[in-house]
Amino acid sequence: MSLFQLQPFNGISQLAVGNPFQQKKYGRRTFLCRPQAVASRTQRIMESVSVSGEVGGAGGAYSYEALKRLDQLWSNICSAQEVVQEPQQVVSTVPSSFRSSDLANKAQGSYDVLVCGGTLGIFIATALCAKGLRVAIVERNVLKGREQEWNISRKELMELVEVGVLEEEDIDRATAAKFNPNRCGFERKGDIWVEDILNLGISPVKLIEIVKKRFISLGGVIFEGCSVAGIDVYEDAAVLKLSEDKILLSRLIIDAMGNFSPVVKQVRIIIYSLLDSKHDSLFFPVSPAMILQIRCGKKPDGICLVVGTCARGFEKNSNSDVIYSSSSVKKVGNSKAQYFWEAFPAGSGPLDRTTYMFTYVEPQPGSPKLEELLEQYWDLMPEYQASFLSGVSLDNLEILRVIYGIFPTYRESPLPSAFNRVLQFGDASGIQSPVSFGGFGSLTRHLGRLSSGIYEAMNGDYLESQDLSLLNPYMPNLSASWLFQRAMSAKEHTNVPEDFINELLYTNFNCMQRLGDPVLRPFLQDVVQFGPLSKTLGLVMLTNPQILPSIFKQVGVPVLLDWSKHFLMLGYYTFLSTFADPVVRPFLNTLPSKTSFRWRRHLEAWKYGAGLDYKL
């Protein structure tokens, strides 16, 4: 499970009178008044917690009203009909040279790369700046991190050091909390303990401040308080239009504006050939996802809904939960939900602890709202924490922040480039695992590959959509992960036992533990590999064959057939990366520049698509 870009509520509780968790008793009285809506427990709690100002990116809203707005957005996604209205036209293609346009003398700055969205965009911007490119960031708000920590391992953060974004001592400066061991728990089944998995609480405030200073020291420029009004793509440049009629000129624009990027919303259909006719398709298998992409008007294939708190008052607070599965499916509103939990010590104090409750759902009418989940969270959180920590009572906890978020995922991911000179990055690209809620872990994993590929594309001027799409290629291990999300989603009318999901997870984790760290640890860090996955599936079938009929009922035959294609491609990419890569790589420098660029991207796709970039 990787990292957290949620909706935090910052500040310390100011509970001067009474306790919002306790219900007051009133005597029987008769009085006339207008009917008035009774505030929910969630509303009372959130309005009793002081909050600070907003910051940019996911997790930047801090009020109960913002929760209601996000629930309205979620309701719109769940509506019965696909959205049919035309999206805002953010990107326009201009079939002429910028030098001959009316805007040629109006640009207020010229750069190699413009990065839209700074919260995660600061990392790719700094990596490119370290390579000598002229880079600027455009951020709608002030570029700063939020209070809620990101949980990750030191091994993953070292990947930021390798690409020049951090110094090794910066990791210690940004680390707010450390904890071991870490539990994978399954209610009424048992626990599995691991070390050094999501065991660091990194302060986004400190981390982004460190990276921001490094970016500026390398010559980077930041435009804060600027909204993207439009992008014009010319034959020789890309023009970024900002509010107040400002324009910036660049050779490449990177869209790091997250899951709900206006550029991504505009992507309707992309049809192109990644291969020249002379290329052998045997070595460049093209997934349908790489030929056809629809985002405009299409519901996400799955959603991870997350709620939680950072609270003070936990006496024993030295260990964490990487994942904890509830024993049975719960009824919420008009639907069902299988709840999972994560919990980590917080860096704000020795008694502070962050607790997340999350569930996977398909967006459809009747799906639970975030406020409905929070109402259940207040009831279930003490019981869950009591399984790990003794003496937990909600009445004795001081709520520091309320956390919530929605994370859409698409089976057809990552998202290839729809336009020349525009590239999606981070959550906007869909590169994160469908079982994760947040993309910081996938960012650290892919940052080196992407920064090198973008730098090479800039040097060779390979900035057409076909070339840029090679940077977000089909990855079978990412597509294969879709089966896990479907298996972990509660379904109506599937005729499987209420404890099936908990039983399935326990069986899988128990088998992975028996197979050892080379199998368990990659999976816990959202890396799926052919060998470990094959071994796990084989051992599950041998040790618990009676669970197989329920798997078919839970996910459905069509989903299993679709998954089998990606599983076979996972094996194929493993073969190509293991045996074909060593044959091809020595000849890369003898090939024409553009051909060499494309081959390098294919070799990376094999390696990362097979999960072979991961090392213990």
Side-chain angles (χ1 to χ4, degrees):
M1 310 295 145
S2 288
L3 247 296
F4 315 132
Q5 294 182 62
L6 306 174
Q7 304 280 19
F9 285 76
N10 305 319
I12 305 301
S13 177
Q14 306 284 337
L15 305 183
V17 180
N19 189 323
F21 302 114
Q22 295 175 337
Q23 295 183 349
K24 296 181 179 180
K25 298 181 180 179
Y26 298 92
R28 296 185 61 185
R29 295 183 182 179
T30 302
F31 52 111
L32 298 175
C33 64
R34 295 179 184 176
Q36 192 171 15
V38 177
S40 68
R41 181 163 44 164
T42 296
Q43 181 177 356
R44 297 196 306 272
I45 291 171
M46 293 180 69
E47 290 180 348
S48 71
V49 178
S50 63
V51 296
S52 60
E54 294 189 346
V55 298
Y62 306 113
S63 65
Y64 175 72
E65 287 73 21
L67 171 66
K68 300 300 289 184
R69 289 195 299 269
L70 190 59
D71 258 341
Q72 183 58 55
L73 172 63
W74 170 226
S75 295
N76 293 339
I77 293 174
C78 292
S79 62
Q81 300 296 322
E82 300 283 7
V83 180
V84 295
Q85 66 265 29
E86 285 294 319
Q88 178 186 0
Q89 191 75 11
V90 179
V91 183
S92 301
T93 300
V94 183
S96 62
S97 169
F98 175 75
R99 295 186 184 90
S100 60
S101 72
D102 296 336
L103 299 176
N105 297 320
K106 297 181 179 180
Q108 299 181 359
S110 179
Y111 304 90
D112 293 318
V113 180
L114 287 172
V115 178
C116 300
T119 304
L120 293 184
I122 186 72
F123 296 96
I124 187 66
T126 305
L128 294 174
C129 226
K131 292 180 179 294
L133 297 178
R134 292 174 296 114
V135 186
I137 296 172
V138 175
E139 169 56 45
R140 181 178 56 185
N141 301 294
V142 175
L143 179 50
K144 59 181 291 188
R146 59 199 51 82
E147 295 297 326
Q148 187 56 45
E149 288 146 18
W150 291 335
N151 292 95
I152 199 165
S153 69
R154 186 179 183 89
K155 173 183 177 296
E156 292 166 291
L157 287 175
M158 286 300 297
E159 294 169 332
L160 299 181
V161 175
E162 293 171 5
V163 298
V165 171
L166 294 177
E167 301 289 342
E168 190 165 356
E169 56 268 25
D170 292 333
I171 297 177
D172 295 325
R173 291 169 55 198
T175 299
K178 299 179 182 179
F179 33 86
N180 265 318
N182 321 111
R183 181 178 71 159
C184 302
F186 311 92
E187 191 174 12
R188 301 177 185 172
K189 290 291 181 182
D191 300 331
I192 292 172
W193 294 88
V194 295
E195 295 274 347
D196 301 327
I197 298 291
L198 302 183
N199 68 306
L200 298 183
I202 299 298
S203 166
V205 172
K206 294 180 181 178
L207 180 63
I208 291 179
E209 180 185 2
I210 291 169
V211 179
K212 185 177 179 180
K213 287 181 179 179
R214 179 162 179 78
F215 174 67
I216 294 173
S217 72
L218 292 170
V221 177
I222 301 174
F223 296 91
E224 296 179 324
C226 296
S227 298
V228 174
I231 298 172
D232 288 345
V233 179
Y234 290 82
E235 294 174 349
D236 56 348
V239 174
L240 183 64
K241 297 178 179 178
L242 305 178
S243 52
E244 300 180 357
D245 297 325
K246 296 179 181 179
I247 67 169
L248 300 173
L249 182 66
S250 71
R251 297 173 59 204
L252 175 68
I253 291 176
I254 294 178
D255 171 17
M257 292 185 282
N259 289 308
F260 299 102
S261 160
V263 177
V264 172
K265 290 180 182 179
Q266 185 181 334
V267 176
R268 181 175 292 277
I269 298 176
I270 310 167
I271 301 178
Y272 56 83
S273 171
L274 289 179
L275 312 175
D276 294 336
S277 58
K278 62 184 177 181
H279 284 159
D280 185 353
S281 61
L282 173 65
F283 291 100
F284 300 119
V286 182
S287 160
M290 300 175 73
I291 300 175
L292 175 65
Q293 283 279 358
I294 302 174
R295 285 290 191 267
C296 168
K298 185 181 187 301
K299 288 184 184 180
D301 296 297
I303 293 278
C304 182
L305 301 177
V306 185
V307 297
T309 58
C310 180
R312 178 167 294 160
F314 294 94
E315 295 295 334
K316 297 181 180 179
N317 191 32
S318 60
N319 300 332
S320 75
D321 269 353
V322 174
I323 184 172
Y324 184 86
S325 174
S326 296
S327 60
S328 61
V329 170
K330 301 288 192 296
K331 187 73 176 177
V332 52
N334 297 321
S335 60
K336 294 181 177 180
Q338 170 69 44
Y339 290 138
F340 306 94
W341 301 82
E342 286 188 341
F344 305 95
S348 51
L351 304 182
D352 299 354
R353 189 170 181 84
T354 300
T355 307
Y356 303 98
M357 184 182 82
F358 58 100
T359 186
Y360 302 106
V361 299
E362 296 178 42
Q364 55 191 353
S367 293
K369 294 184 177 181
L370 290 169
E371 188 166 1
E372 290 177 318
L373 295 184
L374 277 166
E375 288 298 305
Q376 290 206 346
Y377 173 86
W378 308 124
D379 292 328
L380 298 175
M381 190 269 275
E383 178 184 350
Y384 153 64
Q385 290 287 22
S387 72
F388 199 33
L389 307 167
S390 60
V392 176
S393 171
L394 201 58
D395 291 342
N396 297 330
L397 296 179
E398 179 186 5
I399 304 298
L400 306 181
R401 286 183 290 279
V402 179
I403 305 163
Y404 59 89
I406 66 175
F407 298 89
T409 52
Y410 294 84
R411 286 189 299 113
E412 297 164 347
S413 292
L415 183 66
S417 293
F419 312 99
N420 296 341
R421 299 184 181 274
V422 179
L423 174 69
Q424 271 68 45
F425 171 80
D427 291 349
S429 71
I431 198 72
Q432 68 273 23
S433 166
V435 296
S436 298
F437 53 90
F440 187 51
S442 65
L443 179 148
T444 62
R445 178 187 170 200
H446 292 280
L447 189 61
R449 173 184 70 83
L450 287 168
S451 58
S452 296
I454 292 170
Y455 181 72
E456 192 174 342
M458 295 292 295
N459 282 341
D461 201 31
Y462 311 135
L463 302 176
E464 295 184 354
S465 61
Q466 295 94 327
D467 298 315
L468 294 177
S469 291
L470 295 171
L471 295 167
N472 284 329
Y474 165 65
M475 294 190 175
N477 62 348
L478 194 63
S479 298
S481 298
W482 259 99
L483 182 70
F484 309 142
Q485 190 188 87
R486 286 299 175 92
M488 295 163 70
S489 303
K491 306 290 194 306
E492 297 283 351
H493 314 301
T494 55
N495 196 29
V496 299
E498 292 293 296
D499 64 346
F500 163 74
I501 296 175
N502 190 51
E503 171 72 22
L504 177 63
L505 281 179
Y506 175 72
T507 300
N508 275 275
F509 272 79
N510 191 44
C511 289
M512 287 190 289
Q513 184 187 41
R514 290 171 60 184
L515 292 167
D517 281 352
V519 173
L520 180 61
R521 296 184 73 84
F523 183 82
L524 288 174
Q525 293 180 291
D526 291 327
V527 179
V528 175
Q529 299 172 323
F530 182 74
L533 180 57
S534 299
K535 293 176 182 178
T536 302
L537 293 176
L539 190 55
V540 167
M541 287 187 286
L542 288 174
T543 58
N544 195 1
Q546 62 270 24
I547 205 171
L548 296 180
S550 293
I551 294 176
F552 279 85
K553 293 177 183 179
Q554 173 75 5
V555 302
V557 174
V559 172
L560 282 172
L561 290 176
D562 180 71
W563 173 82
S564 65
K565 295 184 297 184
H566 299 299
F567 177 69
L568 292 174
M569 293 303 297
L570 179 61
Y572 185 46
Y573 271 44
T574 301
F575 171 82
L576 291 175
S577 186
T578 303
F579 298 104
D581 184 310
V583 175
V584 173
R585 193 170 294 277
F587 296 97
L588 291 182
N589 293 332
T590 66
L591 300 173
S593 177
K594 190 167 187 176
T595 304
S596 176
F597 168 80
R598 290 190 168 191
W599 270 100
R600 290 183 200 280
R601 305 292 79 78
H602 291 307
L603 298 186
E604 289 172 351
W606 299 346
K607 181 178 180 179
Y608 282 78
L612 297 181
D613 59 294
Y614 181 90
K615 305 297 180 185
L616 285 175

